[in-house]
Amino acid sequence: MSLSRRTLLHKSLQYAKYGTVAAGTMGLAQALTGCGIFETGKDNAKEEDTPKIDPKSQKTLYIYGWATYVGDEVKEVMEGFTEETGIKVKGDAYDSNEVLLAKLLANGGRLGYSVVYPSDYMVSQMVDRDLLLPLDHSLLPNLKNIDPKFLRTPYDVGGKHSVPLSLGTTGIAYNVKIVRSLIGEEPKDWSYFWEYKDKLRITLVNDPREVLGMGLHTLGYSYNAKSEAQIKQAFSKLRELMPAIANFTSDAWKDMLISGDLMACMVFSGDGIRVARQDPNIKYILPETGTSIWTDTVGILRSAPNPEAAHAWINYVMRPEIAAKISDANSFGTTNRPARSKIPEDLRTIPAWQPSPQFEKRSDRITKLDQSTLRMYESYWTRLSSGLG
């Protein structure tokens, strides 16, 4: 199953047809989709790295997360946990952080899940609403494997309520042969979209903060700008691209890019790198001037019916060989330092897989904004993505 990485506002516009800019509103309930159930398997573990589970505790762990953490790609990981602990794992998927939050709020924070996978900015929103359980670090000896710099980020200093697992970026995937034949020059930065807008056929992600943020970034502003004048400037700049934009989509670009119907796409790194690994004619690059960098985390709901097993799961996925399996499966970077040497070479040698410290300095992290500012983003996004101008 293929799901968009993130949608930062409550509206998610869905487009009926390639090349069409007519849109409708999709309710959160329609966005809720389930993934498969995985129960048995095996893996090797060091006894000291596996907290003991009370044999009287509930024998099923329910996880709610992105498809890349609960889908077929990580079936072997789930089966290995069951083999070690005797605890079955059942996973369901959401397609945006807002779906996760809305479902929790609609149910008083009680969904029956123990483990969730919010992205970085959503952690702070969930903590503000007292939805996440403070982690017991004594049950997480493998926390030592996480690069300390990812535990110093402002959304959850010290990993009090969450553990950062995957490192992601937003960049450009493009069809090498088509770009070379029709334009001659391959993209290096976001400015490429504007420079060749009369020749390109592109898609931008279906994500207001990412798209407007990219516009803000190209103007020299922050992805988290609060000035309406700056947001309006970004909106106006993005409007210049409308003749080149086939669609706003986070997922439905892959086949069209491979076939050559699209030339270049704004995509999330895991998706872009995964397609590039499968097809050598597709490249994923990080814009030279920087982009948005984000992390996916794992945490425990305050209402978790099985917090002890949830801690065991989090400790398990921080084991280097398990973290390497997850990174190989979803093609995202990893925050797990000893896991990096265990990543397959074809992934580890892709420059965009793990951004350099120098590149991080040129980039930005999307952070939580106040409601009035979010409404401004939503308003300009609706005008842009619906083609209203």
Side-chain angles (χ1 to χ4, degrees):
M1 109 186 270
S2 180
L3 298 176
S4 61
R5 292 294 311 136
R6 303 181 295 166
T7 303
L8 306 188
L9 294 179
H10 296 293
K11 291 184 178 179
S12 178
L13 301 178
Q14 302 297 304
Y15 296 87
K17 187 177 181 181
Y18 171 76
T20 301
V21 193
T25 301
M26 179 184 72
L28 288 176
Q30 292 175 309
L32 300 174
T33 53
C35 281
I37 297 171
F38 315 106
E39 299 182 349
T40 60
K42 60 182 179 180
D43 199 358
N44 297 319
K46 295 180 180 179
E47 185 176 351
E48 65 269 20
D49 285 347
T50 306
K52 302 301 181 182
I53 301 298
D54 181 353
K56 296 180 181 179
S57 67
Q58 184 178 333
K59 287 297 182 180
T60 301
L61 179 66
Y62 294 92
I63 299 177
Y64 196 33
W66 301 101
T68 49
Y69 304 113
V70 297
D72 286 339
E73 301 97 323
V74 292
K75 182 177 181 179
E76 183 182 352
V77 171
M78 290 180 163
E79 290 175 340
F81 180 78
T82 299
E83 180 71 14
E84 289 185 19
T85 65
I87 296 176
K88 297 177 182 179
V89 181
K90 295 184 179 181
D92 291 320
Y94 50 80
D95 68 349
S96 76
N97 285 293
E98 277 63 40
V99 169
L100 165 64
L101 181 61
K103 192 171 181 181
L104 281 167
L105 295 178
N107 290 275
R110 297 183 177 277
L111 291 177
Y113 298 104
S114 292
V115 176
V116 289
Y117 280 83
S119 297
D120 41 24
Y121 81 99
M122 181 52 65
V123 171
S124 57
Q125 294 190 39
M126 294 178 73
V127 170
D128 287 347
R129 293 168 171 81
D130 200 29
L131 294 171
L132 290 176
L133 185 74
L135 297 176
D136 184 346
H137 285 191
S138 69
L139 297 176
L140 302 175
N142 287 328
L143 191 63
K144 66 181 183 292
N145 297 324
I146 303 299
D147 189 330
K149 74 178 183 180
F150 292 106
L151 296 172
R152 294 193 292 266
T153 50
Y155 66 86
D156 188 24
V157 178
K160 184 177 180 181
H161 293 89
S162 65
V163 174
L165 294 181
S166 298
L167 177 64
T169 58
T170 306
I172 301 171
Y174 64 96
N175 185 305
V176 177
K177 291 179 181 178
I178 295 295
V179 162
R180 286 177 179 173
S181 64
L182 296 181
I183 295 179
E185 182 180 353
E186 296 182 38
K188 295 181 180 179
D189 197 24
W190 296 122
S191 58
Y192 187 85
F193 288 165
W194 279 270
E195 186 176 358
Y196 297 105
K197 63 180 183 294
D198 295 331
K199 296 181 179 181
L200 285 172
R201 193 67 168 163
I202 68 173
T203 62
L204 303 182
V205 294
N206 185 23
D207 190 313
R209 289 288 301 280
E210 285 285 359
V211 173
L212 288 167
M214 182 263 283
L216 287 161
H217 179 80
T218 60
L219 292 167
Y221 302 136
S222 168
Y223 269 75
N224 306 296
K226 297 181 180 180
S227 162
E228 183 167 10
Q230 293 179 355
I231 298 170
K232 185 176 181 180
Q233 277 183 262
F235 162 74
S236 297
K237 186 172 181 63
L238 289 161
R239 279 187 64 196
E240 297 172 10
L241 295 179
M242 289 305 292
I245 298 174
N247 207 340
F248 291 89
T249 178
S250 301
D251 297 297
W253 54 268
K254 302 178 183 71
D255 290 342
M256 290 184 288
L257 185 64
I258 291 171
S259 69
D261 291 328
L262 292 171
M263 301 168 70
C265 302
M266 178 187 189
V267 304
F268 297 122
S269 57
D271 301 322
I273 292 173
R274 188 161 56 249
V275 174
R277 293 173 77 188
Q278 296 167 354
D279 187 335
N281 185 47
I282 303 298
K283 283 188 179 180
Y284 173 80
I285 60 113
L286 296 175
E288 287 181 337
T289 59
T291 185
S292 69
I293 295 181
W294 39 272
T295 48
D296 283 340
T297 80
V298 61
I300 302 173
L301 290 176
R302 186 170 288 279
S303 61
N306 203 352
E308 192 173 20
H311 277 90
W313 171 261
I314 294 175
N315 195 61
Y316 175 73
V317 297
M318 288 192 292
R319 196 180 301 163
E321 65 272 20
I322 301 301
K325 285 182 182 180
I326 294 172
S327 182
D328 184 31
N330 61 32
S331 295
F332 286 114
T334 181
T335 64
N336 193 302
R337 286 192 297 184
R340 292 169 189 165
S341 63
K342 302 178 184 295
I343 301 293
E345 186 176 3
D346 78 297
L347 177 59
R348 191 174 66 248
T349 55
I350 297 175
W353 172 70
Q354 197 84 20
S356 68
Q358 293 76 19
F359 182 81
E360 289 185 37
K361 292 178 181 178
R362 300 195 297 273
S363 300
D364 213 343
R365 280 185 174 271
I366 292 175
T367 60
K368 182 179 67 173
L369 296 174
D370 60 84
Q371 288 301 311
S372 62
T373 303
L374 281 175
R375 282 193 289 271
M376 281 194 294
Y377 277 85
E378 182 175 8
S379 174
Y380 283 109
W381 168 252
T382 300
R383 290 171 60 187
L384 178 70
S385 58
S386 63
L388 297 177

